[in-house]
Amino acid sequence: MAAHSDTVADVTVIPDQQPASLEACRRCRLWHDATQGVAGEGPRQAPIMMVGEQPGDKEDLAGKPFVGPAGALLDAALADAGVDRDDVFVTNAVKHFKWSLRGKRRMHKTPGQREIEACRYWLEKEYAAVDPRVVVALGATALKSVLHDYRAGLRMNLGKVLSCEGRLVVPTYHPSYALRAPDEASRHEAYGTIVDALRHAGRLVRQHDRR
Ligand code: SF4
């Protein structure tokens, strides 16, 4: 993390860079205020890849994706959907934490199109390494990145199976949405939607493997 006294103009950005590591990445300015880049995790050749938005505060500090409450919710949803955790590779559309300071807390800021686009470089590397049969897009930012379509909306695509670049794409809510929903009924509904999407992803993998 560079000194906070640097101005935005001072921050190195090399949009066409092809860096060898997340730590060397300067394709957008998000490297500047983050503790570290957070790569995806999970078995190589996992048939399912779950793509979230970006690392949160805890993930940024730990250097691991989906730790903390969102990760716990996802683990519970996978168990309820009957999907083996070993069949899943987890990652984010954007690998550095974007935040702004409110009081003493680092508050999440949604990545912009340019940042999502810049960071697709890394998602493509993960696609090449893992070659998932099904991609579960967790939330609107992930869906835009996965579909390579910045006009894609989440709600209109919930419950559908889409396809992009030869992969099946199952859109659903981000686990943070289910955690933040204002009342018990909406939390329950959002959680159920995530479980249904994961169950569907598991079914698609089994159908694909039977061919
Ligand atoms: Fe590179 Fe992605 Fe980090 Fe931007 S967010 S600096 S593209 S790794």
Side-chain angles (χ1 to χ4, degrees):
M1 184 161 47
H4 275 264
S5 55
D6 293 354
T7 65
V8 171
D10 292 333
V11 177
T12 309
V13 174
I14 313 169
D16 296 331
Q17 185 197 25
Q18 301 206 334
S21 70
L22 283 183
E23 289 323 296
C25 188
R26 301 292 181 265
R27 290 174 61 86
C28 78
R29 69 169 308 278
L30 294 187
W31 67 270
H32 180 260
D33 294 335
T35 308
Q36 58 199 316
V38 179
E41 240 182 44
R44 293 289 152 123
Q45 276 88 53
I48 299 174
M49 183 181 284
M50 290 198 298
V51 181
E53 183 190 83
Q54 63 164 349
D57 184 70
K58 287 194 170 59
E59 286 86 5
D60 168 78
L61 296 172
K64 292 167 86 63
F66 287 101
V67 294
L73 186 138
L74 221 40
D75 284 345
L78 283 167
D80 284 344
V83 175
D84 192 338
R85 191 71 178 73
D86 288 342
D87 282 344
V88 180
F89 184 96
V90 287
T91 191
N92 284 297
V94 170
K95 311 299 193 216
H96 279 104
F97 180 33
K98 183 175 183 179
W99 56 276
S100 62
L101 208 55
R102 195 179 306 157
K104 290 187 175 170
R105 293 188 64 196
R106 298 190 304 169
M107 302 304 291
H108 157 274
K109 279 181 82 177
T110 304
Q113 178 175 336
R114 228 175 282 171
E115 293 147 352
I116 298 168
E117 215 164 310
C119 216
R120 206 171 187 279
Y121 172 84
W122 292 108
L123 186 62
E124 277 166 13
K125 284 205 172 298
E126 290 172 326
Y127 279 163
V130 179
D131 194 19
R133 304 202 263 298
V134 180
V135 178
V136 179
L138 302 167
T141 298
L143 188 62
K144 290 179 201 314
S145 173
V146 166
L147 294 181
H148 224 161
D149 177 359
Y150 300 95
R151 289 163 307 168
L154 180 63
R155 282 185 185 274
M156 68 175 89
N157 285 309
L158 284 174
K160 294 184 186 168
V161 178
L162 310 169
S163 148
C164 185
E165 296 165 354
R167 289 178 199 91
L168 297 174
V169 177
V170 178
T172 191
Y173 294 121
H174 191 281
S176 308
Y177 175 81
L179 291 167
R180 280 197 321 260
D183 53 70
E184 184 55 36
S186 1
R187 282 194 289 278
H188 186 75
E189 193 258 321
Y191 179 77
T193 303
I194 295 172
V195 172
D196 286 348
L198 295 177
R199 194 176 287 126
H200 202 159
R203 220 178 290 134
L204 289 168
V205 167
R206 287 193 295 279
Q207 283 168 4
H208 181 282
D209 289 350
R210 275 202 294 269
R211 276 186 220 147

